[in-house]
Amino acid sequence: MTTLDQTDTTDLTARRFERMRPFGGDAGPTVDLTGLPPGPRWPVWVQSIGLLRFRHRFVPHLWRTYGDVFTVRIVPGGRPLVLFTRPEHAKEIFAGDPEVFHAGKGNAILGPIMGEHSLLLQDSREHKRARALLMPAFNGQALRAYRTLVEEVARDEVARWSPGDEFRSLDRMNALTLEVILRVVFGVTDEARLARLRPCVNRTVNISPAVLLGWGYPWLQRFGPWKRTVANAYRLDELIYAEIRERRLAPDLADRTDVLSRLILAGDDEAAGPHEGSDETARGDRLTDEELRDQLVTLLLAGHETTATALAWTLHELGSNAHQLARARAAAREGDDAYLEAVMKESMRLHPVIPMVVRTLMRPVTIAGWDLPAGATVGPSILVSHARGDNHPDPARFDPTRFVGHNPPVNTWIPFGGGVRRCIGAGFSLMEGVAVLREILTAYDVTALGRDVPKVRNITSVPRRGARIRVT
Ligand code: HEM
């Protein structure tokens, strides 16, 4: 193993914390609130709690009360968040000029963990460049190469189950998708290294919003959860940087199929081939060690729990409906991946993992006929878009055939957002979901144990009771 220059790594981590500090609790510029779409007049903190903790009832309530476009005022500083629920309005936002519709600002709280180079935190030119470098690792050809490894991880997981087992499917799917990230994205297969990485990665993905919010106050980092989070971040960085440095020297680098190896070669046109937006990435424009670290942690945080949650809801829906289960099991046996993908998509429609996507306006903009000021945050509500009867007839019914042979009208199914910021892992998560469903459903019948309802966990919406199932 290449020697790790630990001082060097420690410096990189310390510098990241230093640079990302100012984000904590920044209220941003004052926004002119006159003439905004209607919304509740409740105190800002009540509206913020409604949105953060009770959004599954709060946002549909606002839609019923105020109509298709409404404003919520949230902390810090009572800034306005204008939510849209119609597909033509989602289109206006997704097609908006990326110089004006910034997405990185809304994710700034994740800065200390993800790092300033994270695709999720960047905007404008920097975002375009990073996206062009990352895209080839997520194209169709790359996805096909990841599939076998994903299937192996899924098979190992299912092999640990026994007939009659009862468990929280969310927990098992979380363990499974984490393993996929470590092996397929980080490209680590050595068991000793996996054992070192797992606990650090687990602590990183389980970081609480309170810890993130405290980042604006560096003195907190001497205490309890903040101190532990910082210590864990140093340890994780040390392991990731060691992996990056060693991978750069790997003799089989060009033949490796994991995401990290592809990202190391990205920008080297001879090795990586053509990529999206290549006008922004000159030949020889490689990702630095820090950029690679930030993108790996971003992929870990963005891709792990989201996919696990979608899978847990899918198993729960199938386990609650004998007819749908039989149809999906037949598809799994016959290798009908298109049907299994339709099952995943319908589950993500009925149970959106992420409730909305947001953009902060850098200039005044008119959307849906409303003149909105610079500094306002706007976004389509995924929750309401997926639940509208005019978008999806009989919206409460679980019906995968909505996605068989055709798709719902454009911008009515938006679990992955849209435009230049559309989820880069959308294809990856559907490929992973289909592979996992196939392994489970060819081996087992699934029965849901009781009903489940969504609960807010950080930004995702997870099944409150973990989508408990019995496998037989
Ligand atoms: C069911 C699974 C997933 C869901 C529901 C989901 C959802 C989303 C959403 C809503 C966005 C924001 C899009 C926008 O602003 O328009 C996003 C962005 C992103 N997602 Fe996913 N995601 C999933 C899986 C993944 C996976 C597996 C990965 C990577 C391995 C990933 C990586 C990312 C990244 C890097 C971004 C930022 C893209 C950008 O800003 O250019 N996601 N995702």
Side-chain angles (χ1 to χ4, degrees), residues 94 103 107 118-122 127 131 134 138 181 185 259 295 298-311 344 348 352-354 356-359 382 414-426 428-430 432:
F94 290 148
N107 300 320
S118 161
L119 190 61
L120 269 165
L121 266 74
Q122 289 176 328
H127 174 261
R131 182 121 182 159
L134 262 67
F138 291 92
I181 298 273
V185 177
V259 176
Q295 304 305 3
T298 300
L299 297 175
L300 163 72
L301 291 177
H304 154 61
E305 195 172 60
T306 43
T307 311
T309 304
L311 270 164
M344 271 293 276
M348 288 163 68
V353 177
I354 296 194
M356 61 187 168
V357 283
V358 291
R359 311 283 186 256
I382 301 177
I414 49 171
F416 297 113
V420 295
R421 306 299 298 229
R422 184 172 189 266
C423 174
I424 204 170
F428 189 103
S429 66
L430 289 173
E432 182 177 357

Side-chain angles (χ1 to χ4, degrees), residues 92-124:
E92 286 184 56
I93 296 169
F94 290 148
D97 179 355
E99 296 297 329
V100 179
F101 290 72
H102 277 194
K105 306 256 172 318
N107 300 320
I109 191 174
L110 298 167
I113 299 300
M114 289 193 175
E116 67 191 298
H117 307 292
S118 161
L119 190 61
L120 269 165
L121 266 74
Q122 289 176 328
D123 281 305
S124 304

